[in-house]
């Protein structure tokens, strides 16, 4: 059975990818950073089926050791400092993890498992101030955040290792992809969590930034399948992964609030503090190559994504409220 090593296995994408690979019969190894406390919530249901290895994108020797232990046939690099606002506050740290970390991992793969197929998680944030719409694999990059800049480096160093050393190294240029496992700091989850809290009487208002920012939003569970398909190709390939539709933050709010019988205009307020120093106003992907070469298409549409996330947070917040009430009663 094939072996796979996933960096960032405890994140949204890593957890869905681990599930997918296990279903396909892989032996799955997850690289995790050693910390004083574990943050394995997204993979709690998988920890008895995957093998976790201490490794860090800042430490080349730990990456080589992880490759030795896993004997990985496929390596998926999903680890990064991935929150755009944080990248403005911590640009150097973002560069270390999200840019140079890719080079460290590629070099470790080249030395230890050069025959392995390598996947790099590139991002639509590389397009930033877009020069054409929709964006495809040939569209010029113009990143508008330290995160986007770091992702451009990670993308091009992957291309460089492929061309320099003949490695099977591919990049998936994924547009925004969300799920109930999205971190609470991301705008989509911030919205659905607030909807649930407002509905349950635990919150009164939701403060957001640019409501007119438009994104091509898909479901993370669909997008990890595209990652896997890319590494099954005979030759490495770079692919845009997207739905081909764009929707605004305002639309996201409207659907989420209306799903529980509320009008977003009664609860959402704009706070300039949440605007980025350099805004990315519109991202829209052209995934024709993925459709034609990989045979991949998204299954969950925008409305389905928003309602899936809202339903999940409604359930979670409801349970939290019940536990809180039970604690007070006791």
């Amino acid at each position: 059975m094939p072996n796979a090593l996933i960096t960032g296995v405890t994140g949204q994408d890593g957890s869905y990818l681990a599930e997918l690979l296990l279903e396909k019969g892989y032996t799955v190894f997850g690289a995790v950073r050693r910390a004083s406390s574990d943050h394995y919530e997204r993979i709690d249901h998988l920890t008895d089926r995957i093998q976790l290895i201490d490794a860090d994108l800042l430490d080349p020797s730990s990456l080589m050791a992880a490759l030795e232990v896993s004997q990985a046939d496929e390596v998926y690099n999903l680890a990064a400092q991935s929150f755009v606002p944080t990248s403005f506050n911590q640009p150097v740290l973002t560069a270390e993890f999200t840019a140079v970390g890719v080079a460290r991992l590629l070099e470790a793969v080249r030395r230890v498992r050069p025959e392995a197929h390598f996947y790099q998680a590139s991002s639509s944030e590389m397009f930033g101030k877009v020069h054409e719409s929709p964006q495809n694999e040939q569209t010029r990059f113009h990143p508008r955040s330290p995160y986007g800049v770091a992702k451009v480096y990670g993308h091009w160093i992957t291309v460089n290792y492929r061309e320099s050393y003949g490695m099977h190294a591919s990049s998936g240029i994924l547009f925004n992809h969300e799920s109930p496992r999205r971190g609470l700091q991301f705008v989509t989850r911030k919205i659905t969590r607030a909807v649930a809290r407002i509905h349950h009487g635990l919150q009164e208002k939701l403060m957001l930034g640019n409501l007119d920012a438009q994104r091509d939003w898909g479901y993370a569970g669909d997008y990890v399948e595209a990652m896997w398909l890319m590494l099954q190709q005979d030759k490495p390939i770079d692919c845009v992964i997207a739905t081909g539709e764009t929707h605004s933050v305002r639309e996201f709010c409207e659907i989420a609030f209306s799903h529980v019988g509320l009008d977003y205009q009664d609860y959402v307020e704009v706070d300039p503090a949440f605007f980025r120093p350099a805004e990315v106003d519109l991202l829209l992907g052209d995934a024709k190559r993925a459709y034609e070469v990989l045979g991949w298409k998204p299954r969950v549409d925008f409305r389905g994504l928003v309602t899936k996330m809202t339903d999940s947070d409604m359930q979670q917040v409801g349970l939290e409220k019940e536990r809180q009430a039970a604690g007070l009663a006791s």
Side-chain angles (χ1 to χ4, degrees):
M1 306 304 289
N3 294 350
L5 175 65
I6 305 171
T7 71
V9 71
T10 60
Q12 170 189 257
D13 293 4
S15 65
Y16 282 111
L17 178 61
E19 288 177 346
L20 176 71
L21 296 179
L22 288 169
E23 289 171 5
K24 294 183 178 297
Y26 281 65
T27 300
V28 177
F29 297 82
V32 294
R33 298 184 68 206
R34 181 172 290 279
S36 57
S37 60
D38 296 332
H39 299 283
Y40 298 165
E41 297 89 353
R42 297 183 182 94
I43 57 168
D44 274 344
H45 61 300
L46 302 176
T47 50
D48 61 338
R49 301 171 62 198
I50 64 178
Q51 300 180 49
L52 300 179
I53 305 173
D54 289 331
D56 194 318
L57 289 180
L58 302 184
D59 181 10
S61 62
S62 72
L63 299 175
M64 288 190 282
L67 289 160
E68 290 279 8
V69 170
S70 65
Q71 289 295 294
D73 302 295
E74 297 174 7
V75 179
Y76 296 86
N77 183 36
L78 309 185
Q81 189 303 99
S82 59
F83 189 46
V84 173
T86 296
S87 76
F88 284 101
N89 296 327
Q90 297 181 308
V92 177
L93 182 67
T94 298
E96 286 289 350
F97 280 110
T98 309
V100 186
V102 185
R104 295 188 187 100
L105 183 55
L106 281 165
E107 183 62 13
V109 171
R110 184 179 77 86
R111 290 174 179 269
V112 180
R113 296 290 293 173
E115 71 279 14
H117 290 195
F118 178 88
Y119 173 85
Q120 166 60 15
S122 291
S123 169
S124 59
E125 288 286 335
M126 300 188 305
F127 297 121
K129 187 176 181 179
V130 298
H131 291 265
E132 65 177 351
S133 195
Q135 296 90 53
N136 59 36
E137 296 81 7
Q138 282 73 48
T139 300
R140 175 186 165 192
F141 297 143
H142 189 150
R144 297 270 282 173
S145 67
Y147 169 77
V149 172
K151 279 293 185 182
V152 170
Y153 177 93
H155 180 86
W156 281 116
I157 198 68
T158 301
V159 172
N160 183 261
Y161 268 70
R162 178 171 71 215
E163 295 178 348
S164 299
Y165 304 113
M167 293 172 62
H168 194 296
S170 301
S171 289
I173 307 174
L174 271 60
F175 279 64
N176 294 65
H177 47 290
E178 318 295 322
S179 76
R181 300 179 192 173
R182 192 50 137 162
L184 291 171
Q185 73 271 38
F186 289 85
V187 67
T188 51
R189 186 75 192 287
K190 183 179 178 180
I191 293 168
T192 58
R193 182 76 172 179
V195 166
R197 286 178 55 80
I198 290 169
H199 182 271
H200 284 287
L202 302 175
Q203 184 172 328
E204 294 183 356
K205 295 290 182 180
L206 169 60
M207 309 304 293
L208 294 173
N210 184 8
L211 297 183
D212 296 317
Q214 298 182 65
R215 294 292 185 270
D216 186 328
W217 273 302
Y219 173 52
D222 290 341
Y223 283 36
V224 297
E225 182 184 17
M227 300 177 188
W228 175 77
L229 286 168
M230 290 175 66
L231 296 201
Q232 310 317 303
Q233 304 305 304
D234 292 335
K235 295 181 179 180
I237 184 173
D238 297 335
C239 282
V240 163
I241 307 299
T243 69
E245 297 181 5
T246 187
H247 300 274
S248 67
V249 175
R250 191 184 305 277
E251 287 178 80
F252 199 107
C253 290
E254 184 176 10
I255 293 173
F257 276 92
S258 65
H259 187 59
V260 299
L262 300 175
D263 185 341
Y264 83 96
Q265 296 180 85
D266 294 333
Y267 304 97
V268 175
E269 295 183 3
V270 173
D271 184 346
F274 292 112
F275 280 73
R276 297 182 184 182
E279 280 290 336
V280 174
D281 295 317
L282 171 64
L283 292 173
L284 175 62
D286 176 3
K288 183 179 180 181
R289 177 182 290 179
Y291 297 169
E292 294 181 349
V293 178
L294 305 182
W296 176 87
K297 284 192 175 181
R299 298 186 181 93
V300 178
D301 64 12
F302 178 68
R303 181 173 291 274
L305 170 67
V306 178
T307 56
K308 181 188 288 283
M309 293 178 67
T310 304
D311 286 340
S312 176
D313 273 320
M314 285 288 289
Q315 182 179 18
Q316 287 187 34
V317 172
L319 290 172
E320 291 169 11
K321 186 178 180 181
E322 288 176 10
R323 286 195 293 267
Q324 186 179 38
L328 291 172
S330 62

